[in-house]
Amino acid sequence: MTAYKDIATNKETAAKEVAEQRLVLRPAVDIFENGESIELYADVPGVTEEGLSVEVDGKTLTVQGDIQIDMPNEMRSLYADVRSTRYQRAFTLSDELDTGAIRAELNDGVLAVTIPKKEEVRPRKIEVSVG
Protein backbone atom coordinates (compact mmCIF):
# COMPACT_ATOMS: atom_id res chain seq x y z
CA MET A 1 0.00 0.00 0.00
CA THR A 2 2.85 2.39 0.80
CA ALA A 3 4.45 1.78 -2.59
CA TYR A 4 1.17 2.73 -4.28
CA LYS A 5 0.99 6.01 -2.31
CA ASP A 6 4.61 6.81 -3.21
CA ILE A 7 3.92 6.20 -6.91
CA ALA A 8 0.74 8.28 -6.80
CA THR A 9 2.54 11.10 -4.97
CA ASN A 10 5.45 11.00 -7.44
CA LYS A 11 3.02 11.12 -10.39
CA GLU A 12 1.15 14.08 -8.89
CA THR A 13 4.41 15.90 -8.15
CA ALA A 14 5.74 15.22 -11.66
CA ALA A 15 2.46 16.36 -13.25
CA LYS A 16 2.51 19.56 -11.18
CA GLU A 17 6.13 20.29 -12.17
CA VAL A 18 5.32 19.79 -15.87
CA ALA A 19 2.26 22.05 -15.62
CA GLU A 20 4.31 24.77 -13.93
CA GLN A 21 6.98 24.54 -16.64
CA ARG A 22 4.34 25.11 -19.34
CA LEU A 23 2.96 28.23 -17.67
CA VAL A 24 4.25 31.13 -19.70
CA LEU A 25 3.01 34.69 -19.50
CA ARG A 26 1.98 36.25 -22.78
CA PRO A 27 3.06 39.91 -22.64
CA ALA A 28 0.68 42.63 -23.78
CA VAL A 29 1.94 44.09 -27.07
CA ASP A 30 1.14 47.23 -29.06
CA ILE A 31 2.15 47.26 -32.75
CA PHE A 32 2.38 50.39 -34.90
CA GLU A 33 3.25 50.83 -38.55
CA ASN A 34 4.64 53.88 -40.29
CA GLY A 35 6.16 54.34 -43.72
CA GLU A 36 9.63 53.33 -42.57
CA SER A 37 9.09 50.49 -40.09
CA ILE A 38 6.96 48.37 -37.79
CA GLU A 39 7.28 49.21 -34.10
CA LEU A 40 6.40 46.70 -31.42
CA TYR A 41 6.09 47.56 -27.71
CA ALA A 42 5.86 44.64 -25.26
CA ASP A 43 5.19 44.98 -21.54
CA VAL A 44 7.70 42.77 -19.72
CA PRO A 45 7.93 44.11 -16.15
CA GLY A 46 10.57 42.48 -13.99
CA VAL A 47 12.72 41.35 -16.93
CA THR A 48 16.33 42.51 -17.00
CA GLU A 49 18.50 42.91 -20.08
CA GLU A 50 20.36 39.71 -19.13
CA GLY A 51 17.09 37.77 -18.85
CA LEU A 52 15.76 38.95 -22.22
CA SER A 53 16.05 37.19 -25.57
CA VAL A 54 14.87 38.63 -28.91
CA GLU A 55 15.52 36.28 -31.84
CA VAL A 56 14.63 36.01 -35.51
CA ASP A 57 14.52 32.62 -37.18
CA GLY A 58 13.35 32.82 -40.77
CA LYS A 59 10.09 34.78 -40.65
CA THR A 60 9.49 34.29 -36.91
CA LEU A 61 10.36 36.90 -34.30
CA THR A 62 10.43 35.44 -30.78
CA VAL A 63 10.55 37.46 -27.57
CA GLN A 64 11.38 35.63 -24.33
CA GLY A 65 12.17 37.00 -20.92
CA ASP A 66 12.74 35.67 -17.43
CA ILE A 67 11.34 37.64 -14.51
CA GLN A 68 13.73 38.40 -11.69
CA ILE A 69 11.77 38.32 -8.41
CA ASP A 70 14.02 39.01 -5.43
CA MET A 71 12.65 37.48 -2.25
CA PRO A 72 14.49 37.56 1.09
CA ASN A 73 15.76 34.13 2.15
CA GLU A 74 13.59 33.95 5.27
CA MET A 75 10.39 34.68 3.32
CA ARG A 76 8.32 32.52 1.01
CA SER A 77 5.25 33.29 -1.04
CA LEU A 78 1.89 32.11 0.29
CA TYR A 79 -0.06 33.44 -2.67
CA ALA A 80 1.04 34.85 -6.01
CA ASP A 81 -0.94 36.34 -8.87
CA VAL A 82 2.03 35.68 -11.15
CA ARG A 83 2.68 31.96 -11.25
CA SER A 84 5.22 31.93 -14.00
CA THR A 85 8.57 33.64 -14.21
CA ARG A 86 8.77 33.63 -18.02
CA TYR A 87 7.34 35.78 -20.77
CA GLN A 88 7.16 34.46 -24.32
CA ARG A 89 5.55 35.64 -27.53
CA ALA A 90 6.18 34.92 -31.22
CA PHE A 91 5.27 36.88 -34.34
CA THR A 92 5.28 35.98 -38.03
CA LEU A 93 7.03 38.65 -40.10
CA SER A 94 6.20 39.56 -43.69
CA ASP A 95 8.68 39.54 -46.56
CA GLU A 96 8.47 43.35 -46.68
CA LEU A 97 10.54 43.66 -43.49
CA ASP A 98 14.34 43.84 -43.22
CA THR A 99 14.98 41.26 -40.48
CA GLY A 100 18.74 41.92 -40.61
CA ALA A 101 18.29 45.46 -39.26
CA ILE A 102 16.00 44.87 -36.26
CA ARG A 103 16.71 47.01 -33.20
CA ALA A 104 15.50 46.32 -29.66
CA GLU A 105 15.62 48.45 -26.51
CA LEU A 106 14.45 47.66 -22.97
CA ASN A 107 13.42 50.61 -20.81
CA ASP A 108 11.43 50.51 -17.54
CA GLY A 109 9.82 47.14 -18.27
CA VAL A 110 8.85 47.98 -21.86
CA LEU A 111 10.62 46.28 -24.75
CA ALA A 112 10.64 48.42 -27.92
CA VAL A 113 11.44 46.52 -31.13
CA THR A 114 11.84 48.39 -34.42
CA ILE A 115 11.70 46.36 -37.63
CA PRO A 116 12.55 48.49 -40.67
CA LYS A 117 10.82 47.93 -43.99
CA LYS A 118 12.90 46.99 -47.01
CA GLU A 119 13.90 49.97 -49.13
CA GLU A 120 11.81 48.85 -52.14
CA VAL A 121 8.54 48.85 -50.17
CA ARG A 122 9.03 52.17 -48.37
CA PRO A 123 7.00 55.09 -49.65
CA ARG A 124 9.07 57.62 -51.54
CA LYS A 125 8.47 61.08 -52.81
CA ILE A 126 8.59 61.64 -56.55
CA GLU A 127 9.98 64.98 -57.64
CA VAL A 128 8.01 66.75 -60.33
CA SER A 129 9.94 68.88 -62.79
CA VAL A 130 8.44 71.85 -64.49
CA GLY A 131 8.58 72.23 -68.14
Side-chain angles (χ1 to χ4, degrees), residues 60-74:
T60 303
L61 172 71
T62 304
V63 175
Q64 296 180 11
D66 292 318
I67 301 170
Q68 301 297 324
I69 301 173
D70 295 327
M71 178 93 60
N73 290 337
E74 63 276 0

Side-chain angles (χ1 to χ4, degrees), residues 94-131:
S94 75
D95 292 328
E96 297 178 347
L97 301 173
D98 183 3
T99 58
I102 295 176
R103 296 182 314 274
E105 181 180 325
L106 181 64
N107 190 15
D108 293 331
V110 177
L111 172 66
V113 179
T114 303
I115 311 166
K117 293 181 180 179
K118 291 180 180 175
E119 193 65 41
E120 59 268 16
V121 298
R122 292 183 186 175
R124 57 180 196 183
K125 186 173 182 174
I126 308 295
E127 289 189 36
V128 178
S129 59
V130 178

Side-chain angles (χ1 to χ4, degrees), residues 20-125:
E20 287 176 0
Q21 289 175 355
R22 290 185 193 162
L23 288 177
V24 176
L25 296 173
R26 186 178 164 126
V29 174
D30 294 321
I31 300 173
F32 301 95
E33 179 179 9
N34 60 39
E36 303 292 317
S37 64
I38 301 286
E39 295 180 14
L40 179 143
Y41 297 93
D43 294 332
V44 289
V47 175
T48 62
E49 186 178 353
E50 295 80 27
L52 183 64
S53 171
V54 180
E55 298 179 358
V56 174
D57 184 13
K59 293 183 180 182
T60 303
L61 172 71
T62 304
V63 175
Q64 296 180 11
D66 292 318
I67 301 170
Q68 301 297 324
I69 301 173
D70 295 327
M71 178 93 60
N73 290 337
E74 63 276 0
M75 295 181 74
R76 67 182 184 93
S77 174
L78 296 177
Y79 175 80
D81 283 331
V82 178
R83 296 178 187 216
S84 176
T85 58
R86 182 181 240 347
Y87 288 104
Q88 183 173 347
R89 188 111 184 235
F91 304 90
T92 302
L93 304 177
S94 75
D95 292 328
E96 297 178 347
L97 301 173
D98 183 3
T99 58
I102 295 176
R103 296 182 314 274
E105 181 180 325
L106 181 64
N107 190 15
D108 293 331
V110 177
L111 172 66
V113 179
T114 303
I115 311 166
K117 293 181 180 179
K118 291 180 180 175
E119 193 65 41
E120 59 268 16
V121 298
R122 292 183 186 175
R124 57 180 196 183
K125 186 173 182 174

